[in-house]
Amino acid sequence: MAPAQEQFSDRPDGADGNDSAEGGSVPPAFRSAVEALHSARLRPELEVEPTRPPQRLAPYAYALEAAVVQREEDLADGRLVLLHDPAGHETWHGTFRLVTLVRAELEPEMASDPLLPEVCWSWLTGALEARGLPYGEAGGTVTRAGSHYFGALGARRPATQIEIRASWTPHEVRGGVPDTAAHLMAWGDLLCQIAGLPPSGPSDAAVVTLPQRRDPQVR
């Protein structure tokens, strides 16, 4: 995955490029929410690019995938999907929904912490709250999986991977549109935290901005 400003293309590979669903145009609220993602200021360790969104989860969807890279090593990776249903969704309690998958390999001493799942979940909610983002209906799972190697692979040290799957409803703040840029930045904070990077202060000017993309992907 290349740096965000170099790799963020007009359309993800394989996208059909349609800007309508069932003959209708893309709702202005969804288009604004996608455009706002491009103003998010992210840490330089984050490499971001668009990817094909999942189908049939909502009438409109847009997806990003990202990796935390330091010294050419991937420390964590994840996907963030923005869903929109103009008619609203009973379980969302809103018209927008954010869905994420985040994964990272952990150091042995951290992997053995019995409170690790609770801590990882608090990283997600804490990242949203630290940026003052109102949200609702958050839910998800934290999974810890260990690998032990044998035979020809016996020289490898045991590895533990943590995986967070979650979704939440971002509150709509301006014209029925949530602050998706801030939610993306909070998600970036989560990725960097699970990768083990120290927090960056508000004075840290080393940030990158997502380049513009012509049209959101519709499903």
Side-chain angles (χ1 to χ4, degrees), residues 95-155:
T95 61
F96 285 90
R97 188 77 171 169
L98 284 163
V99 181
T100 188
L101 165 66
V102 172
R103 297 172 297 199
E105 188 171 319
L106 301 176
E107 294 297 325
E109 60 270 18
M110 189 174 186
S112 61
D113 187 342
L115 296 179
L116 180 65
E118 289 83 359
V119 170
C120 288
W121 182 255
S122 73
W123 286 347
L124 169 62
T125 57
L128 296 170
E129 292 162 6
R131 290 187 177 271
L133 293 172
Y135 67 94
E137 307 305 318
T141 62
V142 177
T143 304
R144 175 170 42 189
S147 298
H148 295 264
Y149 300 93
F150 301 94
L153 301 179

Side-chain angles (χ1 to χ4, degrees), residues 26-37 82 96 174-175 177-178 180 216:
V26 174
F30 180 65
R31 189 177 296 277
S32 296
V34 171
E35 290 174 351
L37 293 172
L82 174 67
F96 285 90
R174 293 186 302 274
V177 181
T180 51

Side-chain angles (χ1 to χ4, degrees), residues 37-54:
L37 293 172
H38 304 142
S39 66
R41 294 173 60 80
L42 305 174
R43 290 179 57 161
E45 298 92 345
L46 277 168
E47 299 184 353
V48 184
E49 62 186 11
T51 187
R52 178 177 287 276

Side-chain angles (χ1 to χ4, degrees), residues 154-172:
R156 295 186 183 182
R157 65 183 180 91
T160 301
Q161 187 181 71
I162 196 75
E163 179 182 276
I164 302 174
R165 293 179 180 267
S167 62
W168 65 95
T169 298
H171 287 187
E172 299 161 12

Side-chain angles (χ1 to χ4, degrees), residues 182-201:
H183 280 270
L184 175 56
M185 289 188 287
W187 182 72
D189 295 340
L190 169 66
L191 266 176
C192 290
Q193 188 164 19
I194 200 172
L197 299 185
S200 60

